[in-house]
């Protein structure tokens, strides 16, 4: 722990140094640009100087140029950059929103924001005029498998052409100039349009579109125009209701059973409901700085005093924890070596997955057998 604390102090000091140097770099770059130092050296522009002399990639050069221009126009940005309230990924968004008139009020609103949050704030401050409410389905082709130099010539000529998916029932296919170089599954992307509206790009399979069409048909009485957002919202509401039921969060809870379960790991629905509500559906693990983790991902009910050590499934002894903190808690209680050994044993005894699937589920169960602090309800078996 002492070692970790000392290392953490060193890392924090390095980070502070990095931020400070970045701020100094941008101030110097802005000054260099103001004096047209790049022209004196024979470069056509600051961008060319950054790309050729400093060997930055074009995107890195563009980001730094934007940041240097922002620093020139708004020197008040330098201190927040230096102390980390504003990071480089937010600077480009900031440059879209700041004006001499609004800088005093708007700059502090960007403090501590992620890039995505900054994009949303820009959309709120400068909404897109008349955002289109449209739905477009574009066919993508998976890239062809790479050709191996050692493959026989006939195999190369016989290589199948990349399959182009045919449009499903509701598709309106748009020509796509970059069709055959499109990645197999681009990441989902959310583009804020104004304070409320978002454009959502998502890559799906034909099977998904067929299901969507079937759902639109099934809901055509309630949603006659087949609005995709309305249909998906109805589906997501059902899914979230199901998750709530597993957590005991139902509108009309059943009375608690008279006879308690013989299994000490079993968490009664009424207790689960109380804990999920009390912890607000977030990981309540306390961090060293005194705040709570607050994660909403991979949540489980965690026995504070493990069942293996006599802990009981009562609201006082349970908390909502994310998978990582649940595992960390088990390591703190039983020791890392002990947990590593049981994870390895679980991995060895887990059935091999032909498709190379994850064994984390088996690992979790092994950890539980080893006296982990996890509960049955984490796997939905306790409801
Ligand atoms: Zn957590």
């Amino acid at each position: 722990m002492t070692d970790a604390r000392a290392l953490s102090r060193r890392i924090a000091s390095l980070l502070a140094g990095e931020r400070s140097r970045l701020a100094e770099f941008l101030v110097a770059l802005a000054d260099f640009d103001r004096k047209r130092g790049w022209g004196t050296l024979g470069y056509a522009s600051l961008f060319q100087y950054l790309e050729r002399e400093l060997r930055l990639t074009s995107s890195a050069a563009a980001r730094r140029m934007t940041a240097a221009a922002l620093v020139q126009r708004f020197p008040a940005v330098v201190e927040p950059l230096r102390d980390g309230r504003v990071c480089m990924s937010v600077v480009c968004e900031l440059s879209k929103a700041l004006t001499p008139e609004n800088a005093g009020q708007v700059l502090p609103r960007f403090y501590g924001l992620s890039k995505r949050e900054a994009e949303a704030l820009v959309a709120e401050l400068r909404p897109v005029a008349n955002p289109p409410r449209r739905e477009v389905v574009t066919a993508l082709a998976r890239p062809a498998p790479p050709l191996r130099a050692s493959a026989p010539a006939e195999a190369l000529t016989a290589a199948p052409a990349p399959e182009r998916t045919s449009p499903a029932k509701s598709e309106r296919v748009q020509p796509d100039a970059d069709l055959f170089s499109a990645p197999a599954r681009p990441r989902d992307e959310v583009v804020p349009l104004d304070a409320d509206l978002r454009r959502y790009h998502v890559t799906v399979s034909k099977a998904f579109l067929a299901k969507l069409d079937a759902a639109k048909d099934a809901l055509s009485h309630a949603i006659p125009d087949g609005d995709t957002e309305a249909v998906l919202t109805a589906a997501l509401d059902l899914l979230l209701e199901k998750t709530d039921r597993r957590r005991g969060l139902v509108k009309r809870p059943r009375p608690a059973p008279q006879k308690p379960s013989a299994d000490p790991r079993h968490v009664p629905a009424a207790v689960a409901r109380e804990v999920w509500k009390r912890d607000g559906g977030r990981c309540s693990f306390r961090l060293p700085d005194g705040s709570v983790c607050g994660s909403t991902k991979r949540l489980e009910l965690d026995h504070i005093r493990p069942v293996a050590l006599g802990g009981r499934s009562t609201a006082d002894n349970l908390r909502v924890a994310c998978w990582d903190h649940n595992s960390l808690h088990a390591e703190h209680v039983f020791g890392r070596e002990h947990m590593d050994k049981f994870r390895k044993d679980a991995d060895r005894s887990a059935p091999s997955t032909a498709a190379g699937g994850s064994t984390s589920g088996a690992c979790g169960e092994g950890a539980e057998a080893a006296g982990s602090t996890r509960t049955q309800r984490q796997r939905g078996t306790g409801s």
Side-chain angles (χ1 to χ4, degrees):
M1 182 68 180
T2 320
D3 265 8
R5 189 44 68 199
L7 272 173
S8 166
R9 272 196 297 273
R10 176 161 160 67
I11 288 166
S13 142
L14 287 168
L15 178 65
E18 180 191 313
R19 285 171 175 158
S20 177
R21 271 191 293 279
L22 173 67
E24 277 169 38
F25 169 83
L26 292 176
V27 169
L29 191 63
D31 187 44
F32 182 73
D33 189 33
R34 202 167 28 243
K35 292 173 179 161
R36 293 174 63 87
W38 43 268
T40 310
L41 295 179
Y43 292 104
S45 63
L46 180 63
F47 182 79
Q48 194 179 53
Y49 163 79
L50 289 168
E51 233 191 351
R52 301 288 177 83
E53 177 95 12
L54 299 192
R55 298 187 176 278
L56 292 176
T57 62
S58 55
S59 57
R63 264 200 310 278
R64 277 154 186 80
M65 226 172 70
T66 305
L70 190 73
V71 164
Q72 279 195 59
R73 286 180 63 212
F74 303 101
V77 173
V78 175
E79 275 317 300
L81 268 168
R82 197 188 300 279
D83 60 28
R85 279 174 291 167
V86 168
C87 63
M88 264 303 272
S89 57
V90 164
V91 163
C92 288
E93 299 308 314
L94 199 51
S95 70
K96 294 175 195 164
L98 280 196
T99 65
E101 295 75 37
N102 73 12
Q105 290 85 47
V106 166
L107 176 59
R109 294 184 65 185
F110 280 83
Y111 292 169
L113 296 192
S114 67
K115 186 172 190 297
R116 182 179 273 200
E117 289 165 341
E119 284 169 354
L121 181 52
V122 169
E124 188 188 321
L125 294 167
R126 301 189 58 188
V128 173
N130 305 315
R133 299 299 295 251
R134 60 179 184 172
E135 186 182 320
V136 178
V137 179
T138 309
L140 295 177
R142 293 179 196 280
L147 299 177
R148 280 176 299 141
S150 58
E154 61 272 23
L156 293 181
T157 50
E163 184 202 350
R164 183 176 167 152
T165 53
S166 59
K169 179 176 149 193
S170 66
E171 285 180 283
R172 293 195 300 278
V173 177
Q174 279 202 331
D176 188 336
D178 204 19
L179 195 63
F180 289 97
S181 61
R185 195 169 282 271
R187 292 179 61 182
D188 294 359
E189 192 191 354
V190 177
V191 182
L193 298 175
D194 62 19
D196 180 53
L197 284 181
R198 301 287 182 269
R199 184 178 297 140
Y200 184 35
H201 299 258
V202 55
T203 302
V204 298
S205 64
K206 281 168 68 183
F208 174 90
L209 286 178
K211 275 187 191 173
L212 181 60
D213 282 336
K216 285 181 179 182
D217 289 346
L219 293 179
S220 54
H221 286 296
I223 308 171
D225 64 357
D227 179 72
T228 299
E229 183 182 355
V231 171
L232 289 179
T233 300
L236 292 173
D237 284 346
L238 278 177
L239 185 74
L240 292 172
E241 255 179 61
K242 195 175 160 189
T243 310
D244 279 352
R245 271 204 303 279
R246 222 167 47 217
R247 295 174 175 180
L249 299 171
V250 288
K251 286 193 185 105
R252 274 182 290 172
R254 279 181 295 183
Q258 297 296 313
K259 208 175 113 205
S261 167
D263 180 356
R265 292 182 196 282
H266 173 73
V267 180
V271 173
R273 185 162 48 247
E274 186 183 340
V275 176
W276 281 105
K277 271 192 180 167
R278 183 198 64 205
D279 292 350
R282 290 171 178 275
C283 174
S284 61
F285 197 91
R286 189 130 328 248
L287 301 179
D289 68 358
S291 63
V292 293
C293 164
S295 172
T296 52
K297 301 270 193 300
R298 301 177 79 192
L299 296 178
E300 304 168 340
L301 288 184
D302 174 35
H303 283 92
I304 298 166
R305 181 172 172 76
V307 173
L309 300 181
R312 297 174 56 224
S313 295
T314 57
D316 285 350
N317 190 45
L318 284 163
R319 63 182 162 191
V320 174
C322 65
W323 188 91
D324 290 321
H325 274 131
N326 203 343
S327 296
L328 193 66
H329 179 217
E331 277 187 18
H332 285 172
V333 174
F334 296 105
R336 189 163 169 184
E337 269 180 42
H338 179 83
M339 294 308 296
D340 280 348
K341 178 179 178 304
F342 277 96
R343 283 189 196 112
K344 271 188 202 140
D345 289 350
D347 277 348
R348 265 199 298 274
S349 61
S352 64
T353 47
S358 160
T359 56
S360 60
C363 180
E365 288 175 29
E368 189 177 345
S372 150
T373 53
R374 282 198 184 92
T375 71
Q376 285 184 339
R377 196 168 290 274
Q378 79 186 67
R379 286 172 283 133
T381 54
S383 54

